[in-house]
Amino acid sequence: MGARFEELAWRETPIGEISLRRRRDPSLDVDVYEVKLDDEFLMSSLFPVAEIELARLGLARVTGEALDVVVGGLGLGYTARTALEDPRVRSLVVVEAIEDVIDWHRRDLLPFAAGLAADPRTRFVPADFFAAVASGDGFDPEAPGRRFHAVLLDVDHSPRQVLHPSHAAFYTADGLRRLAALLHPEGVFALWSNDPPDPAFQRTLTEVFPTSVAHVVRFPNPLQGREAANTVYVARH
């Protein structure tokens, strides 16, 4: 067991100061990895269930083999690592705006994401996911407009609680139509949200996608001694 607290990485970014830290939780007797943006906690290794389910629920709706998948937002790597566990995944493009976050994984700072960076199917793209959609060029700089079988997104807190005002346009019908143009027919868009299912956003999804479902993912919160829940939206083109 190492020190009780360690800041593993820190960087000033256009959206604030982002840091990765590890602390020892004495009550649970585990090392906890956390990402903060300024003074706000973005994610914790104590609560990976919904990030894992984002990949599982999203890919469960995709048919066929030899799948090309995009993960928007790398974070602690749970969604990307889980996607690679699906043997049908042929390629994984991980779009992350903050290059330091990519560097965390290349330096193996996150033991539970081991193998993600080294997997030959993985390619990290340092780019703004939302700008890539808005431009129409998409997620592969080597093949503008390339289509994918699934896009799994975990960046903002929710469609209403965005990390930067420029992200808001993505969650409109026009923004989602631009994303749908980057999916193969019957391709899947899956989105993590910290909020309960949002009826207004669900209606927006149905304007663009023939089918969509809001899954409530429940998990224990050991810090508060109660059950917590996130939402995973899954929409099929």
Side-chain angles (χ1 to χ4, degrees), residues 111-224:
F112 43 81
L116 171 58
D119 194 299
R121 294 172 292 172
T122 302
R123 181 150 61 98
F124 295 121
V125 175
D128 182 325
F129 176 95
F130 303 96
V133 173
S135 71
D137 290 339
F139 310 113
D140 187 345
E142 298 176 6
R146 178 186 171 191
R147 293 189 174 193
F148 291 84
H149 298 96
V151 173
L152 315 173
L153 178 60
D154 178 4
V155 173
D156 294 312
H157 294 304
S158 74
R160 293 182 183 272
Q161 302 294 325
V162 296
L163 295 181
H164 192 275
S166 63
H167 299 179
F170 172 80
Y171 300 100
T172 65
D174 286 343
L176 294 173
R177 287 189 187 98
R178 293 186 182 95
L179 173 72
L182 299 170
L183 289 172
H184 286 298
E186 299 186 348
V188 168
F189 167 56
L191 170 71
W192 175 90
S193 172
N194 191 49
D195 290 348
D198 183 335
F201 180 65
Q202 289 179 270
R203 287 192 294 271
T204 302
L205 280 173
T206 60
E207 291 183 43
V208 179
F209 296 94
T211 62
S212 65
V213 179
H215 299 270
V216 176
V217 179
R218 304 185 187 278
F219 53 92
N221 183 330
L223 298 180
Q224 298 179 348

Side-chain angles (χ1 to χ4, degrees), residues 5-6 18 23 25 47 62 85 90 93 103 113 118 129 132 169 176 215 225:
F5 175 86
E6 183 180 8
I18 194 164
R23 64 177 176 85
D25 189 304
F47 314 112
V62 185
E85 294 173 2
R90 172 175 60 186
V93 173
D103 186 57
F129 176 95
L176 294 173
H215 299 270

Side-chain angles (χ1 to χ4, degrees), residues 3-21:
R4 287 283 299 274
F5 175 86
E6 183 180 8
E7 188 170 72
L8 301 174
W10 176 93
R11 178 74 67 178
E12 180 74 45
T13 77
I15 61 173
E17 297 176 359
I18 194 164
S19 63
L20 171 66
R21 62 187 215 168

Side-chain angles (χ1 to χ4, degrees), residues 18-21 23 32-37 40-48 51 72-79 96 98 101 104-105 110 112 154-157 163 192 194 230:
I18 194 164
S19 63
L20 171 66
R21 62 187 215 168
R23 64 177 176 85
V32 180
Y33 292 79
E34 297 167 327
V35 179
K36 290 184 68 179
L37 182 65
E40 184 175 9
F41 286 94
L42 289 185
M43 56 195 72
S44 168
S45 61
L46 278 179
F47 314 112
E51 287 87 346
L74 176 54
L76 295 176
Y78 285 106
T79 299
E96 171 56 55
I98 301 172
V101 176
W104 300 346
H105 290 269
L110 301 161
F112 43 81
D154 178 4
V155 173
D156 294 312
H157 294 304
L163 295 181
W192 175 90
N194 191 49
N230 294 158

